Amino acid sequence: METRYLGESGLEVSVIGLGCNNFGGRLDESRTESVVSAAIDSGITLFDTADIYGGDGRSEIFLGKALTGRRDEVVIATKFAGPMGDLPMQKGGSRRYILNAVEDSLRRLGTDYIDLYQMHFPDLNTPLDETMRALDDLVRDGKVRYIGHSNFTGWMIAHAHHLAREHSLTPFISAQNHYHLLNREVEPDVQPACTKFGLGILPYFPLASGLLTGKYRKGQPRPEGARLTSGPMADRMLTDQNMDKAELLLDWSESRGHSLLELAFSWLAQQPAVASVIAGATSVEQVEANVDAANWILTSEELTEIEDMLR
Ligand code: NAP
């Protein structure tokens, strides 16, 4: 498994990571354990979870249990800022909240340090330097090794960079944003900011929730029990436009001897600043397919053809 440095840091992560938002929701404790073991055995080192995944912190709890005895082999990335209760102080980026939230995540994960602690969403009501000072304290205390953010825009990334420089605070090293072949909104804004300020991108929803695996086909019944088989997310993702583009990309990949899954991973892994593609998986078979899917080195001609198809 190829590894990459996360932004301008010394933290090396596998180019394929594992998104853990199915843990505690679609996956119970024992299936979580199988998926995590298969991921580690296949060379995945980066596990991305969040306090809010799975409800009541269950994704962190299940991940922590599944990592028993293997903590030293992995990089744990988790997140704070999403609502963990109904009270106003149970979310966001205030010092008060962060200092409590980190203790809760450490306890649920069963570890005494978090490798990458990410701010899940921007909090425009809290001064960013308050958030960054609290995070800096966690790094100095040894509870957190590195910090990242998620869903920030380009100006927020620049603002954070300058605050870190001005006040000698720990800088963010990663940006987690929505990014895949069918959603490229990071490209004009977030991606150049990451390149300029030395952050690694961790694209989320890299498989468009499964649409880019090739299992949803136009005019064919949807696979049983899959994420986009029914529900509001299915309506949002499986639009005619997205289905048409996925069909085009699938035919194009297959005509070159590759799968749509390989295209989805390999294309993302070749984009500027991308450090690790953190796809979710609901089975051992999916993990095994995913770890082999980023090996297609797309030529510049192929990349241009993709641009033309998606235009
Ligand atoms: P995703 O990676 O785009 O899609 C994952 C889903 O696709 C799996 O749960 C599985 O669902 C299906 N799948 C995966 N591999 C497959 C394969 N080889 N063959 C067939 N189907 C396959 O979406 P995601 O898991 O939601 O996103 C990845 C990670 O990003 C999350 O786990 C989370 O860590 C992170 N995330 C972050 C944010 C944020 O705001 N920071 C938001 C969303 C997600 P089925 O088996 O059910 O079809």
PDB file of all heavy atoms in Angstrom, residues 19-22 26 48 53 79 120-121 150-151 176 204-210 213 215-216 225-227 261 278-282 286 289-290, ligand 1:
ATOM      1  N   GLY A  19     -13.219   5.081   5.855  1.00  0.00           N
ATOM      2  CA  GLY A  19     -14.228   5.935   6.487  1.00  0.00           C
ATOM      3  C   GLY A  19     -15.070   5.069   7.415  1.00  0.00           C
ATOM      4  O   GLY A  19     -15.469   3.963   7.047  1.00  0.00           O
ATOM      5  N   CYS A  20     -15.327   5.574   8.611  1.00  0.00           N
ATOM      6  CA  CYS A  20     -15.965   4.728   9.642  1.00  0.00           C
ATOM      7  C   CYS A  20     -17.382   5.183   9.972  1.00  0.00           C
ATOM      8  O   CYS A  20     -17.873   4.897  11.067  1.00  0.00           O
ATOM      9  CB  CYS A  20     -15.098   4.720  10.901  1.00  0.00           C
ATOM     10  SG  CYS A  20     -13.416   4.153  10.599  1.00  0.00           S
ATOM     11  N   ASN A  21     -18.047   5.889   9.056  1.00  0.00           N
ATOM     12  CA  ASN A  21     -19.376   6.377   9.442  1.00  0.00           C
ATOM     13  C   ASN A  21     -20.462   5.311   9.374  1.00  0.00           C
ATOM     14  O   ASN A  21     -21.575   5.537   9.805  1.00  0.00           O
ATOM     15  CB  ASN A  21     -19.777   7.659   8.694  1.00  0.00           C
ATOM     16  CG  ASN A  21     -20.028   7.450   7.232  1.00  0.00           C
ATOM     17  OD1 ASN A  21     -19.759   6.371   6.717  1.00  0.00           O
ATOM     18  ND2 ASN A  21     -20.511   8.471   6.548  1.00  0.00           N
ATOM     19  N   ASN A  22     -20.132   4.114   8.860  1.00  0.00           N
ATOM     20  CA  ASN A  22     -21.106   3.007   8.918  1.00  0.00           C
ATOM     21  C   ASN A  22     -21.093   2.301  10.273  1.00  0.00           C
ATOM     22  O   ASN A  22     -22.022   1.556  10.591  1.00  0.00           O
ATOM     23  CB  ASN A  22     -20.771   1.948   7.857  1.00  0.00           C
ATOM     24  CG  ASN A  22     -20.996   2.450   6.441  1.00  0.00           C
ATOM     25  OD1 ASN A  22     -22.051   2.981   6.134  1.00  0.00           O
ATOM     26  ND2 ASN A  22     -20.002   2.305   5.575  1.00  0.00           N
ATOM     27  N   ARG A  26     -25.083   1.122  10.168  1.00  0.00           N
ATOM     28  CA  ARG A  26     -25.313  -0.053   9.315  1.00  0.00           C
ATOM     29  C   ARG A  26     -24.509  -1.273   9.781  1.00  0.00           C
ATOM     30  O   ARG A  26     -24.884  -2.398   9.492  1.00  0.00           O
ATOM     31  CB  ARG A  26     -24.952   0.283   7.870  1.00  0.00           C
ATOM     32  CG  ARG A  26     -25.914   1.303   7.256  1.00  0.00           C
ATOM     33  CD  ARG A  26     -25.401   1.798   5.927  1.00  0.00           C
ATOM     34  NE  ARG A  26     -25.199   0.728   4.963  1.00  0.00           N
ATOM     35  CZ  ARG A  26     -26.155   0.202   4.212  1.00  0.00           C
ATOM     36  NH1 ARG A  26     -27.368   0.663   4.323  1.00  0.00           N
ATOM     37  NH2 ARG A  26     -25.897  -0.748   3.351  1.00  0.00           N
ATOM     38  N   ASP A  48     -10.956   6.997   9.670  1.00  0.00           N
ATOM     39  CA  ASP A  48     -11.595   8.292   9.893  1.00  0.00           C
ATOM     40  C   ASP A  48     -12.974   8.116  10.511  1.00  0.00           C
ATOM     41  O   ASP A  48     -13.888   7.581   9.880  1.00  0.00           O
ATOM     42  CB  ASP A  48     -11.734   9.039   8.558  1.00  0.00           C
ATOM     43  CG  ASP A  48     -12.386  10.396   8.765  1.00  0.00           C
ATOM     44  OD1 ASP A  48     -11.694  11.291   9.259  1.00  0.00           O
ATOM     45  OD2 ASP A  48     -13.594  10.535   8.468  1.00  0.00           O
ATOM     46  N   TYR A  53     -20.785  10.008  14.534  1.00  0.00           N
ATOM     47  CA  TYR A  53     -21.130   8.861  13.684  1.00  0.00           C
ATOM     48  C   TYR A  53     -21.714   7.710  14.514  1.00  0.00           C
ATOM     49  O   TYR A  53     -21.206   7.386  15.587  1.00  0.00           O
ATOM     50  CB  TYR A  53     -19.911   8.332  12.926  1.00  0.00           C
ATOM     51  CG  TYR A  53     -19.333   9.265  11.887  1.00  0.00           C
ATOM     52  CD1 TYR A  53     -18.091   9.002  11.331  1.00  0.00           C
ATOM     53  CD2 TYR A  53     -20.006  10.393  11.449  1.00  0.00           C
ATOM     54  CE1 TYR A  53     -17.533   9.841  10.372  1.00  0.00           C
ATOM     55  CE2 TYR A  53     -19.470  11.232  10.497  1.00  0.00           C
ATOM     56  CZ  TYR A  53     -18.232  10.954   9.964  1.00  0.00           C
ATOM     57  OH  TYR A  53     -17.679  11.784   9.022  1.00  0.00           O
ATOM     58  N   LYS A  79     -13.360  13.495  14.971  1.00  0.00           N
ATOM     59  CA  LYS A  79     -13.824  14.887  14.769  1.00  0.00           C
ATOM     60  C   LYS A  79     -14.679  15.340  15.942  1.00  0.00           C
ATOM     61  O   LYS A  79     -15.298  14.524  16.617  1.00  0.00           O
ATOM     62  CB  LYS A  79     -14.674  14.987  13.497  1.00  0.00           C
ATOM     63  CG  LYS A  79     -14.072  14.334  12.282  1.00  0.00           C
ATOM     64  CD  LYS A  79     -14.894  14.605  11.037  1.00  0.00           C
ATOM     65  CE  LYS A  79     -14.435  13.720   9.886  1.00  0.00           C
ATOM     66  NZ  LYS A  79     -14.958  12.335   9.955  1.00  0.00           N
ATOM     67  N   HIS A 120     -15.099  19.273  12.659  1.00  0.00           N
ATOM     68  CA  HIS A 120     -15.993  18.682  11.652  1.00  0.00           C
ATOM     69  C   HIS A 120     -16.642  19.734  10.754  1.00  0.00           C
ATOM     70  O   HIS A 120     -16.800  19.530   9.549  1.00  0.00           O
ATOM     71  CB  HIS A 120     -17.066  17.879  12.386  1.00  0.00           C
ATOM     72  CG  HIS A 120     -17.649  16.758  11.601  1.00  0.00           C
ATOM     73  ND1 HIS A 120     -18.204  15.656  12.183  1.00  0.00           N
ATOM     74  CD2 HIS A 120     -17.787  16.554  10.266  1.00  0.00           C
ATOM     75  CE1 HIS A 120     -18.654  14.824  11.252  1.00  0.00           C
ATOM     76  NE2 HIS A 120     -18.419  15.356  10.074  1.00  0.00           N
ATOM     77  N   PHE A 121     -17.047  20.838  11.388  1.00  0.00           N
ATOM     78  CA  PHE A 121     -17.721  21.910  10.639  1.00  0.00           C
ATOM     79  C   PHE A 121     -17.183  23.238  11.156  1.00  0.00           C
ATOM     80  O   PHE A 121     -16.859  23.350  12.345  1.00  0.00           O
ATOM     81  CB  PHE A 121     -19.236  21.889  10.892  1.00  0.00           C
ATOM     82  CG  PHE A 121     -19.866  20.548  10.652  1.00  0.00           C
ATOM     83  CD1 PHE A 121     -20.131  19.690  11.714  1.00  0.00           C
ATOM     84  CD2 PHE A 121     -20.174  20.134   9.362  1.00  0.00           C
ATOM     85  CE1 PHE A 121     -20.691  18.441  11.505  1.00  0.00           C
ATOM     86  CE2 PHE A 121     -20.740  18.878   9.146  1.00  0.00           C
ATOM     87  CZ  PHE A 121     -21.000  18.029  10.222  1.00  0.00           C
ATOM     88  N   SER A 150     -12.624  20.281   8.537  1.00  0.00           N
ATOM     89  CA  SER A 150     -13.515  19.682   7.556  1.00  0.00           C
ATOM     90  C   SER A 150     -14.587  20.701   7.193  1.00  0.00           C
ATOM     91  O   SER A 150     -15.054  21.442   8.058  1.00  0.00           O
ATOM     92  CB  SER A 150     -14.149  18.430   8.181  1.00  0.00           C
ATOM     93  OG  SER A 150     -15.126  17.895   7.332  1.00  0.00           O
ATOM     94  N   ASN A 151     -14.939  20.718   5.936  1.00  0.00           N
ATOM     95  CA  ASN A 151     -15.984  21.620   5.441  1.00  0.00           C
ATOM     96  C   ASN A 151     -15.600  23.099   5.575  1.00  0.00           C
ATOM     97  O   ASN A 151     -16.483  23.960   5.630  1.00  0.00           O
ATOM     98  CB  ASN A 151     -17.319  21.330   6.150  1.00  0.00           C
ATOM     99  CG  ASN A 151     -17.809  19.921   5.880  1.00  0.00           C
ATOM    100  OD1 ASN A 151     -17.995  19.544   4.732  1.00  0.00           O
ATOM    101  ND2 ASN A 151     -17.981  19.113   6.925  1.00  0.00           N
ATOM    102  N   GLN A 176     -10.807  18.068   5.196  1.00  0.00           N
ATOM    103  CA  GLN A 176     -11.701  17.008   4.734  1.00  0.00           C
ATOM    104  C   GLN A 176     -12.918  17.668   4.100  1.00  0.00           C
ATOM    105  O   GLN A 176     -13.646  18.416   4.762  1.00  0.00           O
ATOM    106  CB  GLN A 176     -12.099  16.122   5.921  1.00  0.00           C
ATOM    107  CG  GLN A 176     -12.739  14.839   5.458  1.00  0.00           C
ATOM    108  CD  GLN A 176     -13.031  13.864   6.578  1.00  0.00           C
ATOM    109  OE1 GLN A 176     -14.158  13.418   6.717  1.00  0.00           O
ATOM    110  NE2 GLN A 176     -12.032  13.519   7.360  1.00  0.00           N
ATOM    111  N   TYR A 204     -14.108  13.385   1.164  1.00  0.00           N
ATOM    112  CA  TYR A 204     -15.175  12.520   1.707  1.00  0.00           C
ATOM    113  C   TYR A 204     -16.252  12.255   0.667  1.00  0.00           C
ATOM    114  O   TYR A 204     -16.340  12.966  -0.327  1.00  0.00           O
ATOM    115  CB  TYR A 204     -15.706  13.028   3.036  1.00  0.00           C
ATOM    116  CG  TYR A 204     -16.614  14.247   3.078  1.00  0.00           C
ATOM    117  CD1 TYR A 204     -17.899  14.229   2.557  1.00  0.00           C
ATOM    118  CD2 TYR A 204     -16.179  15.406   3.709  1.00  0.00           C
ATOM    119  CE1 TYR A 204     -18.734  15.336   2.653  1.00  0.00           C
ATOM    120  CE2 TYR A 204     -16.997  16.522   3.804  1.00  0.00           C
ATOM    121  CZ  TYR A 204     -18.287  16.484   3.272  1.00  0.00           C
ATOM    122  OH  TYR A 204     -19.094  17.581   3.363  1.00  0.00           O
ATOM    123  N   PHE A 205     -17.019  11.185   0.910  1.00  0.00           N
ATOM    124  CA  PHE A 205     -17.932  10.617  -0.099  1.00  0.00           C
ATOM    125  C   PHE A 205     -17.173  10.319  -1.404  1.00  0.00           C
ATOM    126  O   PHE A 205     -17.671  10.625  -2.498  1.00  0.00           O
ATOM    127  CB  PHE A 205     -19.081  11.579  -0.433  1.00  0.00           C
ATOM    128  CG  PHE A 205     -20.123  11.754   0.634  1.00  0.00           C
ATOM    129  CD1 PHE A 205     -20.767  12.980   0.799  1.00  0.00           C
ATOM    130  CD2 PHE A 205     -20.495  10.707   1.458  1.00  0.00           C
ATOM    131  CE1 PHE A 205     -21.744  13.157   1.768  1.00  0.00           C
ATOM    132  CE2 PHE A 205     -21.473  10.873   2.439  1.00  0.00           C
ATOM    133  CZ  PHE A 205     -22.103  12.105   2.590  1.00  0.00           C
ATOM    134  N   PRO A 206     -15.971   9.725  -1.333  1.00  0.00           N
ATOM    135  CA  PRO A 206     -15.171   9.548  -2.553  1.00  0.00           C
ATOM    136  C   PRO A 206     -15.851   8.673  -3.597  1.00  0.00           C
ATOM    137  O   PRO A 206     -15.564   8.791  -4.789  1.00  0.00           O
ATOM    138  CB  PRO A 206     -13.882   8.890  -2.048  1.00  0.00           C
ATOM    139  CG  PRO A 206     -14.261   8.241  -0.750  1.00  0.00           C
ATOM    140  CD  PRO A 206     -15.299   9.135  -0.146  1.00  0.00           C
ATOM    141  N   LEU A 207     -16.773   7.794  -3.130  1.00  0.00           N
ATOM    142  CA  LEU A 207     -17.464   6.909  -4.076  1.00  0.00           C
ATOM    143  C   LEU A 207     -18.880   7.409  -4.353  1.00  0.00           C
ATOM    144  O   LEU A 207     -19.713   6.663  -4.866  1.00  0.00           O
ATOM    145  CB  LEU A 207     -17.510   5.480  -3.507  1.00  0.00           C
ATOM    146  CG  LEU A 207     -16.141   4.882  -3.163  1.00  0.00           C
ATOM    147  CD1 LEU A 207     -16.291   3.508  -2.520  1.00  0.00           C
ATOM    148  CD2 LEU A 207     -15.281   4.787  -4.429  1.00  0.00           C
ATOM    149  N   ALA A 208     -19.131   8.665  -4.014  1.00  0.00           N
ATOM    150  CA  ALA A 208     -20.487   9.215  -4.152  1.00  0.00           C
ATOM    151  C   ALA A 208     -21.494   8.267  -3.498  1.00  0.00           C
ATOM    152  O   ALA A 208     -22.528   7.924  -4.081  1.00  0.00           O
ATOM    153  CB  ALA A 208     -20.821   9.480  -5.619  1.00  0.00           C
ATOM    154  N   SER A 209     -21.119   7.819  -2.278  1.00  0.00           N
ATOM    155  CA  SER A 209     -21.968   6.912  -1.488  1.00  0.00           C
ATOM    156  C   SER A 209     -22.227   5.574  -2.169  1.00  0.00           C
ATOM    157  O   SER A 209     -23.165   4.871  -1.801  1.00  0.00           O
ATOM    158  CB  SER A 209     -23.294   7.589  -1.120  1.00  0.00           C
ATOM    159  OG  SER A 209     -23.053   8.553  -0.120  1.00  0.00           O
ATOM    160  N   GLY A 210     -21.431   5.227  -3.136  1.00  0.00           N
ATOM    161  CA  GLY A 210     -21.566   3.918  -3.784  1.00  0.00           C
ATOM    162  C   GLY A 210     -21.892   4.021  -5.260  1.00  0.00           C
ATOM    163  O   GLY A 210     -21.696   3.073  -6.025  1.00  0.00           O
ATOM    164  N   THR A 213     -19.229   2.956  -7.665  1.00  0.00           N
ATOM    165  CA  THR A 213     -18.717   1.576  -7.635  1.00  0.00           C
ATOM    166  C   THR A 213     -19.231   0.788  -8.841  1.00  0.00           C
ATOM    167  O   THR A 213     -18.786  -0.326  -9.080  1.00  0.00           O
ATOM    168  CB  THR A 213     -19.176   0.833  -6.366  1.00  0.00           C
ATOM    169  OG1 THR A 213     -20.610   0.686  -6.417  1.00  0.00           O
ATOM    170  CG2 THR A 213     -18.778   1.573  -5.110  1.00  0.00           C
ATOM    171  N   LYS A 215     -22.416  -0.204  -9.136  1.00  0.00           N
ATOM    172  CA  LYS A 215     -23.503  -1.151  -8.811  1.00  0.00           C
ATOM    173  C   LYS A 215     -24.894  -0.573  -9.009  1.00  0.00           C
ATOM    174  O   LYS A 215     -25.874  -1.292  -8.861  1.00  0.00           O
ATOM    175  CB  LYS A 215     -23.327  -1.711  -7.408  1.00  0.00           C
ATOM    176  CG  LYS A 215     -23.475  -0.733  -6.269  1.00  0.00           C
ATOM    177  CD  LYS A 215     -23.171  -1.481  -4.970  1.00  0.00           C
ATOM    178  CE  LYS A 215     -23.264  -0.572  -3.776  1.00  0.00           C
ATOM    179  NZ  LYS A 215     -22.833  -1.269  -2.563  1.00  0.00           N
ATOM    180  N   TYR A 216     -24.986   0.705  -9.314  1.00  0.00           N
ATOM    181  CA  TYR A 216     -26.287   1.295  -9.641  1.00  0.00           C
ATOM    182  C   TYR A 216     -26.279   1.569 -11.139  1.00  0.00           C
ATOM    183  O   TYR A 216     -25.492   2.396 -11.609  1.00  0.00           O
ATOM    184  CB  TYR A 216     -26.514   2.590  -8.864  1.00  0.00           C
ATOM    185  CG  TYR A 216     -26.422   2.409  -7.353  1.00  0.00           C
ATOM    186  CD1 TYR A 216     -25.217   2.633  -6.688  1.00  0.00           C
ATOM    187  CD2 TYR A 216     -27.531   2.010  -6.611  1.00  0.00           C
ATOM    188  CE1 TYR A 216     -25.117   2.457  -5.312  1.00  0.00           C
ATOM    189  CE2 TYR A 216     -27.442   1.829  -5.235  1.00  0.00           C
ATOM    190  CZ  TYR A 216     -26.230   2.059  -4.597  1.00  0.00           C
ATOM    191  OH  TYR A 216     -26.142   1.880  -3.237  1.00  0.00           O
ATOM    192  N   GLY A 225     -30.392  -3.724  -0.226  1.00  0.00           N
ATOM    193  CA  GLY A 225     -29.763  -3.355   1.045  1.00  0.00           C
ATOM    194  C   GLY A 225     -28.605  -2.381   0.943  1.00  0.00           C
ATOM    195  O   GLY A 225     -27.929  -2.118   1.938  1.00  0.00           O
ATOM    196  N   ALA A 226     -28.346  -1.837  -0.229  1.00  0.00           N
ATOM    197  CA  ALA A 226     -27.216  -0.909  -0.353  1.00  0.00           C
ATOM    198  C   ALA A 226     -27.661   0.498   0.066  1.00  0.00           C
ATOM    199  O   ALA A 226     -28.857   0.792   0.156  1.00  0.00           O
ATOM    200  CB  ALA A 226     -26.694  -0.902  -1.782  1.00  0.00           C
ATOM    201  N   ARG A 227     -26.677   1.368   0.315  1.00  0.00           N
ATOM    202  CA  ARG A 227     -26.992   2.679   0.893  1.00  0.00           C
ATOM    203  C   ARG A 227     -27.948   3.495   0.031  1.00  0.00           C
ATOM    204  O   ARG A 227     -28.815   4.193   0.538  1.00  0.00           O
ATOM    205  CB  ARG A 227     -25.696   3.474   1.102  1.00  0.00           C
ATOM    206  CG  ARG A 227     -25.956   4.754   1.862  1.00  0.00           C
ATOM    207  CD  ARG A 227     -24.759   5.671   1.900  1.00  0.00           C
ATOM    208  NE  ARG A 227     -23.688   5.166   2.736  1.00  0.00           N
ATOM    209  CZ  ARG A 227     -22.564   5.839   2.953  1.00  0.00           C
ATOM    210  NH1 ARG A 227     -22.380   7.015   2.413  1.00  0.00           N
ATOM    211  NH2 ARG A 227     -21.622   5.328   3.712  1.00  0.00           N
ATOM    212  N   LEU A 261     -14.874   1.597 -10.222  1.00  0.00           N
ATOM    213  CA  LEU A 261     -14.316   1.713  -8.865  1.00  0.00           C
ATOM    214  C   LEU A 261     -12.846   2.145  -8.934  1.00  0.00           C
ATOM    215  O   LEU A 261     -12.407   3.044  -8.209  1.00  0.00           O
ATOM    216  CB  LEU A 261     -14.423   0.353  -8.149  1.00  0.00           C
ATOM    217  CG  LEU A 261     -14.016   0.353  -6.678  1.00  0.00           C
ATOM    218  CD1 LEU A 261     -15.126   0.958  -5.815  1.00  0.00           C
ATOM    219  CD2 LEU A 261     -13.719  -1.069  -6.194  1.00  0.00           C
ATOM    220  N   ILE A 278     -10.596   8.273   1.765  1.00  0.00           N
ATOM    221  CA  ILE A 278     -11.188   7.597   2.936  1.00  0.00           C
ATOM    222  C   ILE A 278     -12.578   7.060   2.602  1.00  0.00           C
ATOM    223  O   ILE A 278     -13.587   7.598   3.033  1.00  0.00           O
ATOM    224  CB  ILE A 278     -11.252   8.543   4.156  1.00  0.00           C
ATOM    225  CG1 ILE A 278     -11.868   9.908   3.751  1.00  0.00           C
ATOM    226  CG2 ILE A 278      -9.887   8.745   4.769  1.00  0.00           C
ATOM    227  CD1 ILE A 278     -12.330  10.733   4.943  1.00  0.00           C
ATOM    228  N   ALA A 279     -12.617   5.975   1.837  1.00  0.00           N
ATOM    229  CA  ALA A 279     -13.921   5.416   1.462  1.00  0.00           C
ATOM    230  C   ALA A 279     -14.499   4.594   2.607  1.00  0.00           C
ATOM    231  O   ALA A 279     -13.766   3.937   3.336  1.00  0.00           O
ATOM    232  CB  ALA A 279     -13.756   4.527   0.241  1.00  0.00           C
ATOM    233  N   GLY A 280     -15.812   4.613   2.718  1.00  0.00           N
ATOM    234  CA  GLY A 280     -16.488   3.742   3.664  1.00  0.00           C
ATOM    235  C   GLY A 280     -16.646   2.354   3.054  1.00  0.00           C
ATOM    236  O   GLY A 280     -16.547   2.175   1.828  1.00  0.00           O
ATOM    237  N   ALA A 281     -16.883   1.337   3.883  1.00  0.00           N
ATOM    238  CA  ALA A 281     -17.109  -0.023   3.380  1.00  0.00           C
ATOM    239  C   ALA A 281     -18.029  -0.737   4.357  1.00  0.00           C
ATOM    240  O   ALA A 281     -17.970  -0.499   5.561  1.00  0.00           O
ATOM    241  CB  ALA A 281     -15.783  -0.773   3.260  1.00  0.00           C
ATOM    242  N   THR A 282     -18.871  -1.617   3.816  1.00  0.00           N
ATOM    243  CA  THR A 282     -19.774  -2.361   4.706  1.00  0.00           C
ATOM    244  C   THR A 282     -19.436  -3.851   4.746  1.00  0.00           C
ATOM    245  O   THR A 282     -20.165  -4.624   5.358  1.00  0.00           O
ATOM    246  CB  THR A 282     -21.257  -2.184   4.276  1.00  0.00           C
ATOM    247  OG1 THR A 282     -21.383  -2.575   2.908  1.00  0.00           O
ATOM    248  CG2 THR A 282     -21.731  -0.755   4.444  1.00  0.00           C
ATOM    249  N   GLN A 286     -15.678  -5.530   0.197  1.00  0.00           N
ATOM    250  CA  GLN A 286     -15.536  -4.142  -0.286  1.00  0.00           C
ATOM    251  C   GLN A 286     -14.166  -3.583   0.085  1.00  0.00           C
ATOM    252  O   GLN A 286     -13.510  -2.936  -0.733  1.00  0.00           O
ATOM    253  CB  GLN A 286     -16.638  -3.258   0.305  1.00  0.00           C
ATOM    254  CG  GLN A 286     -18.013  -3.540  -0.285  1.00  0.00           C
ATOM    255  CD  GLN A 286     -19.085  -2.595   0.253  1.00  0.00           C
ATOM    256  OE1 GLN A 286     -18.805  -1.693   1.031  1.00  0.00           O
ATOM    257  NE2 GLN A 286     -20.313  -2.799  -0.171  1.00  0.00           N
ATOM    258  N   ALA A 289     -11.645  -4.996  -2.271  1.00  0.00           N
ATOM    259  CA  ALA A 289     -11.723  -4.400  -3.619  1.00  0.00           C
ATOM    260  C   ALA A 289     -11.140  -2.992  -3.593  1.00  0.00           C
ATOM    261  O   ALA A 289     -10.402  -2.588  -4.502  1.00  0.00           O
ATOM    262  CB  ALA A 289     -13.175  -4.368  -4.090  1.00  0.00           C
ATOM    263  N   ASN A 290     -11.428  -2.253  -2.546  1.00  0.00           N
ATOM    264  CA  ASN A 290     -11.018  -0.846  -2.504  1.00  0.00           C
ATOM    265  C   ASN A 290      -9.502  -0.676  -2.394  1.00  0.00           C
ATOM    266  O   ASN A 290      -8.930   0.231  -3.005  1.00  0.00           O
ATOM    267  CB  ASN A 290     -11.744  -0.117  -1.362  1.00  0.00           C
ATOM    268  CG  ASN A 290     -13.250  -0.078  -1.583  1.00  0.00           C
ATOM    269  OD1 ASN A 290     -13.734  -0.449  -2.646  1.00  0.00           O
ATOM    270  ND2 ASN A 290     -13.993   0.364  -0.586  1.00  0.00           N
TER     271      ASN A 290
HETATM  272  P1  NAP B   1     -18.428   6.718   0.185  1.00  0.00           P
HETATM  273  O1  NAP B   1     -17.053   6.347   0.605  1.00  0.00           O
HETATM  274  O2  NAP B   1     -18.612   7.587  -0.993  1.00  0.00           O
HETATM  275  O3  NAP B   1     -19.296   5.393  -0.046  1.00  0.00           O
HETATM  276  C1  NAP B   1     -19.169   4.330   0.821  1.00  0.00           C
HETATM  277  C2  NAP B   1     -20.251   3.297   0.554  1.00  0.00           C
HETATM  278  O4  NAP B   1     -20.152   2.771  -0.769  1.00  0.00           O
HETATM  279  C3  NAP B   1     -20.075   2.112   1.485  1.00  0.00           C
HETATM  280  O5  NAP B   1     -20.642   2.362   2.735  1.00  0.00           O
HETATM  281  C4  NAP B   1     -20.757   0.995   0.702  1.00  0.00           C
HETATM  282  O6  NAP B   1     -22.164   1.164   0.930  1.00  0.00           O
HETATM  283  C5  NAP B   1     -20.396   1.356  -0.740  1.00  0.00           C
HETATM  284  N1  NAP B   1     -19.138   0.687  -1.169  1.00  0.00           N
HETATM  285  C6  NAP B   1     -17.881   0.947  -0.731  1.00  0.00           C
HETATM  286  N2  NAP B   1     -16.981   0.175  -1.363  1.00  0.00           N
HETATM  287  C7  NAP B   1     -17.681  -0.582  -2.229  1.00  0.00           C
HETATM  288  C8  NAP B   1     -17.303  -1.575  -3.173  1.00  0.00           C
HETATM  289  N3  NAP B   1     -16.031  -1.940  -3.358  1.00  0.00           N
HETATM  290  N4  NAP B   1     -18.274  -2.154  -3.927  1.00  0.00           N
HETATM  291  C9  NAP B   1     -19.576  -1.794  -3.765  1.00  0.00           C
HETATM  292  N5  NAP B   1     -19.990  -0.862  -2.878  1.00  0.00           N
HETATM  293  C10 NAP B   1     -19.054  -0.258  -2.114  1.00  0.00           C
HETATM  294  O7  NAP B   1     -19.215   7.407   1.388  1.00  0.00           O
HETATM  295  P2  NAP B   1     -18.921   7.531   2.954  1.00  0.00           P
HETATM  296  O8  NAP B   1     -18.504   6.245   3.570  1.00  0.00           O
HETATM  297  O9  NAP B   1     -20.095   8.205   3.549  1.00  0.00           O
HETATM  298  O10 NAP B   1     -17.731   8.559   2.994  1.00  0.00           O
HETATM  299  C11 NAP B   1     -16.415   8.150   3.320  1.00  0.00           C
HETATM  300  C12 NAP B   1     -16.016   8.702   4.651  1.00  0.00           C
HETATM  301  O11 NAP B   1     -15.943  10.132   4.616  1.00  0.00           O
HETATM  302  C13 NAP B   1     -17.020   8.444   5.788  1.00  0.00           C
HETATM  303  O12 NAP B   1     -16.966   7.129   6.253  1.00  0.00           O
HETATM  304  C14 NAP B   1     -16.590   9.471   6.786  1.00  0.00           C
HETATM  305  O13 NAP B   1     -15.462   9.006   7.488  1.00  0.00           O
HETATM  306  C15 NAP B   1     -16.228  10.644   5.893  1.00  0.00           C
HETATM  307  N6  NAP B   1     -17.298  11.664   5.771  1.00  0.00           N
HETATM  308  C16 NAP B   1     -17.040  12.905   6.252  1.00  0.00           C
HETATM  309  C17 NAP B   1     -17.970  13.910   6.161  1.00  0.00           C
HETATM  310  C18 NAP B   1     -17.624  15.270   6.719  1.00  0.00           C
HETATM  311  O14 NAP B   1     -18.496  16.144   6.801  1.00  0.00           O
HETATM  312  N7  NAP B   1     -16.382  15.456   7.111  1.00  0.00           N
HETATM  313  C19 NAP B   1     -19.207  13.684   5.527  1.00  0.00           C
HETATM  314  C20 NAP B   1     -19.436  12.415   5.029  1.00  0.00           C
HETATM  315  C21 NAP B   1     -18.490  11.408   5.136  1.00  0.00           C
HETATM  316  P3  NAP B   1     -23.248   0.003   0.696  1.00  0.00           P
HETATM  317  O15 NAP B   1     -22.593  -1.323   0.919  1.00  0.00           O
HETATM  318  O16 NAP B   1     -24.302   0.328   1.674  1.00  0.00           O
HETATM  319  O17 NAP B   1     -23.729   0.185  -0.703  1.00  0.00           O
END
